[in-house]
Amino acid sequence: MLPDFASMLSRPGSLAETQDAGAPEKVPGRGAPPLALALGGGIARGWAHIGVLRAFDAAGLKPDIVVGTSVGAVVGGCWAAGRLDELEDWTRSLTKRRMFGLLDFSLAGAGLISGGRLKGLLEQNLGEASIESLGPRFAAIATEYNTGHEIWLGRGKLVEALRASYALPGIFEPVRVGGRWLMDGALTNPVPVSAARALGGRLVVAVNLQSDVYGRGTVIQSVTTTERDQAAAENLTWLRRIRGQTRPAEETPPPKPDGAPGIPSVMVDAFGIMLDRISRSRLAGDPPDLTIGPRLADVGLFDFHRAGEAIDRGREAAERAIEPIHEAMKALA
């Protein structure tokens, strides 16, 4: 019976999504099980990945496979290309003012930021490097616009793959790669354990930047208006009558409630909720062998100027995991 190619092409991680990964039949080993590192998304929290890789280098752990989503792809790609020093120096020099200067706002495109300046920085350090030329196996995770397919970018120009992986919808414009319009990989696979394992990882270590964000999974059964809310509404109506406001309530724009969030806050929090929920779901279905979870709950998703703190916390978390990783490698060998 012939295989159902239509259904194969519609499934995430199927031929349509992985053809760019260029996965060989066997990953070259060093007499030890292939070690794969899955670097999760988390915007500014992702600088913690630099610290994780620093700890790995210091301990003599060289991942055979590195798969990254969003900022995880950026850090992992720079490490694989031998440009981690340059990336760390740049991130530690960031201030709020300097970061704002890198954002080339555009109201005419598909995102608030065209990304040209950040692209220039990547090209300045990575040049025309291709993914195939890197030492370890590398892939960046992206999401295809319109179809929602999960795309594994394992071939072609490194800079294009990184830009596609961090193209946060509404913020950065989608990037066209291989005839597809691609967006942030965190929309489909925030912590790419499944890709790291599929590309040959025998021991998969995940770096989850949402591991200590608590309280996101609670369910509130019902929410009702309190007596305090009703009293506030009655007082507002009485005040309007005193002031002579006789227009119907539906014609009077309602005042902004105290503490109501603005558009930027809503966008950031919505993305944080999405990251947490999708990460929980994907990791429950395909858990890693080991997880590194830097303590980053107090670091905002757009706190790029706090790179030093994130890097240090990433290194601390990775150092605690070095011994378990060595033990797991010995057991598997």
Side-chain angles (χ1 to χ4, degrees):
M1 182 176 180
L2 293 176
D4 184 359
F5 287 103
S7 62
M8 288 176 61
L9 294 176
S10 65
R11 293 198 304 268
S14 64
L15 178 61
E17 287 68 53
T18 60
Q19 61 183 0
D20 292 331
E25 294 182 0
K26 184 179 180 181
V27 177
R30 301 186 306 271
L35 173 62
L37 193 58
L39 303 177
I43 315 183
R45 292 173 182 162
W47 299 145
H49 293 313
I50 298 175
V52 171
L53 288 166
R54 289 299 191 197
F56 272 50
D57 288 340
L61 287 173
K62 301 296 181 184
D64 302 279
I65 301 158
V66 176
V67 183
T69 294
S70 195
V71 67
V74 174
V75 176
C78 288
W79 175 82
R83 292 290 185 270
L84 192 62
D85 289 343
E86 291 82 351
L87 179 65
E88 181 173 357
D89 290 342
W90 178 74
T91 58
R92 287 185 180 273
S93 70
L94 287 176
T95 61
K96 290 183 178 180
R97 183 172 183 178
R98 186 176 183 186
M99 192 64 206
F100 188 81
L102 292 171
L103 306 180
D104 40 0
F105 293 96
S106 172
L107 299 179
L112 292 177
I113 302 169
S114 65
R117 295 174 187 172
L118 293 175
K119 175 186 177 183
L121 284 172
L122 287 174
E123 290 179 336
Q124 179 180 342
N125 288 282
L126 299 176
E128 297 295 322
S130 67
I131 296 177
E132 296 92 327
S133 68
L134 302 178
R137 293 288 314 287
F138 176 78
I141 307 299
T143 303
E144 185 176 16
Y145 168 75
N146 197 31
T147 67
H149 290 163
E150 178 182 326
I151 309 295
W152 300 355
L153 298 172
R155 293 179 179 175
K157 189 176 178 181
L158 178 59
V159 171
E160 286 187 349
L162 303 187
R163 290 183 62 224
S165 188
Y166 71 68
L168 183 63
I171 305 297
F172 290 103
E173 295 181 349
V175 179
R176 191 170 181 83
V177 179
R180 304 170 186 262
W181 285 106
L182 303 182
M183 306 181 296
D184 199 311
L187 296 171
T188 50
N189 200 349
V191 188
V193 171
S194 56
R197 184 166 285 124
L199 294 180
R202 180 67 180 85
L203 176 63
V204 178
V205 179
V207 183
N208 182 9
L209 304 178
Q210 274 61 242
S211 61
D212 69 332
V213 180
Y214 304 114
R216 292 285 192 179
T218 302
V219 176
I220 308 299
Q221 295 185 6
S222 63
V223 176
T224 59
T225 302
T226 64
E227 294 181 0
R228 181 178 179 182
D229 295 331
Q230 293 175 347
E234 292 174 358
N235 290 336
L236 181 61
T237 302
W238 175 78
L239 182 60
R240 285 175 179 167
R241 289 175 180 173
I242 291 179
R243 291 178 177 178
Q245 295 178 343
T246 57
R247 291 189 301 171
E250 61 270 14
E251 295 182 9
T252 304
K256 186 177 180 179
D258 293 338
I263 293 178
S265 298
V266 170
M267 291 181 64
V268 172
D269 198 56
F271 188 73
I273 293 171
M274 181 199 71
L275 269 177
D276 179 70
R277 287 301 183 113
I278 299 177
S279 297
R280 289 171 184 263
S281 177
R282 294 298 300 257
L283 293 176
D286 191 1
D289 298 296
L290 292 166
T291 300
I292 296 174
R295 299 296 185 182
L296 300 166
D298 63 319
V299 177
L301 292 176
F302 283 84
D303 285 348
F304 292 100
H305 59 288
R306 299 178 64 185
E309 298 175 59
I311 292 171
D312 293 343
R313 296 184 194 184
R315 183 164 191 156
E316 292 170 3
E319 288 174 346
R320 292 193 294 269
I322 295 300
E323 185 175 350
I325 291 174
H326 280 302
E327 292 176 354
M329 294 183 71
K330 290 179 182 178
L332 291 174

